[in-house]
Amino acid sequence: MTWASAVTDPLRVVDYRAEAVSVSGQSLGDVPVDGVRIDYDGDRTEAWSATFALSDPSLVPLTSADTLDGRSSTRLRVWWRVLDDGTWLEIPVGTFCVTDPRIQDSGPLSIAVDGLDPLAVARTGGYGASVIPVGGMTVSDALATLFAAVAPGFPVSIEPSTATLPAVMDLWDRDPADDWREIAAAGGMVVRTDRWGVITAARQPTPETVAADWQEGHSCPVTDLDVEIRTSSIPRRVIVVSSSPDVSPPVVGVWDNPDADSQNLIHEMRIQSSTVTTAAAATSLAALSGQRWSKPQSSVSVTVPARPDLAYGDLVLLRRAQAAVSGPYRVAGWTLTLAGRDRAPEPMSVRMMARQW
């Protein structure tokens, strides 16, 4: 595997570039970027964010069609590159909507512009004055209807689903992110944006191929490791209440933590769900949520040479004996700083999914 050998080689030549693209993905040419910081958090709905630094005076936006004007619909796609036998291999790191450039002229010119996850833009789109009925639709059709309303023209990919919504469900008064989260969950899916800037609704993959081996030893690239052990998130009980208009009075499901025999466990978790319409479903959701958080959570992050090809859920073997960290972990997110051409590549922080003890 050429990419795998090149990206894990301890002696690498790496680079990056930023490309302007239209909403449909058509290339509009590279943009001279001095640096960019990218944050990826696969646990969040708006998983991607970035801050770009530029200094070319020709990029100061003057019209709504200019690259850095938020009205242009232009996006910036960052490519990370590694040299392999004289050939650049590259992977898109993220594709961002630009917004609100900040310009400072202190002799040299500096431009800073934030890059948004397309879902951050869709979230503010709103439903207008319309009430959009999606009751009885399949999850796939309902999501397609939702995004056609709040993000018209955005590229969207939705996994087929035969699961159907309650007979009465309207979109009009809530945060669209709450709506698409609940609708997708009814089909066992989550809504996220991929590296190409496409809004996707799909089941989360759980890759079984090891993406990185970072077990301690002479070749281990980990330079720093942080662990947080969290018990404050353990609930004493979980209560689920149906908010579906089809149910009156609302049904309630309760899960009591069988290990909550200490007065230290006082946290109560409450969940409202418009997709729960029976007491059995409410109790099942309460139990699932309670069992998920019923044990201490161990959160691990490491500092390694840049690996922005890592995706949410990728499997990593990690071991640091003195910190009591060992075994398989899955990637939750990372932070990557790409500096100017005259600076050495900076290491990357990678955050792992929390594991139960």
Side-chain angles (χ1 to χ4, degrees):
M1 295 177 61
T2 304
W3 173 265
S5 60
V7 80
T8 57
D9 193 326
L11 297 175
R12 306 181 307 183
V13 177
V14 299
D15 195 9
Y16 72 96
R17 65 185 180 94
E19 177 188 23
V21 296
S22 66
V23 172
S24 64
Q26 179 183 0
S27 176
L28 303 176
D30 284 1
V31 175
V33 171
D34 299 329
V36 57
R37 175 188 170 94
I38 299 170
D39 287 294
Y40 171 66
D41 186 348
D43 287 332
R44 298 179 64 243
T45 297
E46 299 163 23
W48 300 91
S49 63
T51 302
F52 294 87
L54 311 97
S55 57
D56 188 336
S58 68
L59 291 173
V60 175
L62 301 175
T63 73
S64 61
D66 290 335
T67 298
L68 298 187
D69 192 298
R71 297 168 295 176
S72 69
S73 298
T74 303
R75 301 182 180 188
L76 293 181
R77 176 173 294 154
V78 180
W79 295 85
W80 187 77
R81 319 169 78 195
V82 58
L83 195 63
D84 179 65
D85 291 335
T87 301
W88 285 110
L89 307 178
E90 58 183 16
I91 185 173
V93 179
T95 305
F96 305 90
C97 302
V98 298
T99 182
D100 300 343
R102 303 175 296 281
I103 302 164
Q104 183 175 24
D105 186 353
S106 302
L109 184 74
S110 64
I111 306 171
V113 63
D114 293 330
L116 302 181
D117 189 312
L119 282 172
V121 180
R123 188 174 186 175
T124 60
Y127 301 115
S130 302
V131 175
I132 304 173
V134 294
M137 286 187 179
T138 65
V139 166
S140 303
D141 288 343
L143 288 173
T145 300
L146 186 156
F147 287 114
V150 301
F154 280 40
V156 176
S157 174
I158 301 173
E159 182 178 308
S161 173
T162 57
T164 57
L165 300 179
V168 178
M169 186 173 184
D170 296 328
L171 308 177
W172 67 283
D173 65 333
R174 297 205 309 168
D175 183 334
D178 292 335
D179 286 329
W180 73 58
R181 187 182 301 114
E182 285 196 9
I183 293 171
M189 301 187 291
V190 297
V191 174
R192 294 292 185 270
T193 302
D194 68 11
R195 295 172 179 267
W196 300 91
V198 177
I199 296 173
T200 66
R203 293 170 177 81
Q204 291 280 45
T206 52
E208 297 305 326
T209 301
V210 175
D213 187 340
W214 294 337
Q215 300 178 90
E216 61 186 335
H218 72 279
S219 62
C220 180
V222 175
T223 58
D224 194 29
L225 181 145
D226 293 290
V227 184
E228 178 186 358
I229 300 171
R230 191 165 56 249
T231 59
S232 59
S233 58
I234 301 175
R236 187 175 188 83
R237 71 177 59 86
V238 179
I239 299 175
V240 172
V241 181
S242 172
S243 59
S244 171
D246 290 342
V247 181
S248 182
V251 296
V252 177
V254 179
W255 177 84
D256 287 306
N257 190 339
D259 299 320
D261 54 357
S262 167
Q263 292 302 311
N264 292 325
L265 294 179
I266 60 174
H267 170 56
E268 181 176 277
M269 182 184 296
R270 300 183 69 88
I271 301 172
Q272 282 194 335
S273 174
S274 62
T275 59
V276 168
T277 57
T278 66
T283 301
S284 176
L285 179 57
L288 286 172
S289 301
Q291 290 160 9
R292 177 186 177 189
W293 298 102
S294 63
K295 304 293 183 183
Q297 305 286 314
S298 173
S299 299
V300 176
S301 61
V302 296
T303 302
V304 294
R307 281 292 306 274
D309 59 312
L310 293 175
Y312 184 78
D314 274 355
L315 192 62
V316 173
L317 300 181
L318 187 61
R319 184 173 185 271
R320 184 65 66 91
Q322 65 181 9
V325 171
S326 181
Y329 284 80
R330 292 195 179 275
V331 173
W334 41 258
T335 298
L336 174 68
T337 300
L338 300 173
R341 298 296 190 273
D342 58 345
R343 294 176 59 183
E346 295 192 25
M348 183 171 106
S349 173
V350 182
R351 182 174 60 84
M352 305 299 171
M353 293 182 186
R355 291 201 324 186
Q356 289 189 343
W357 282 10

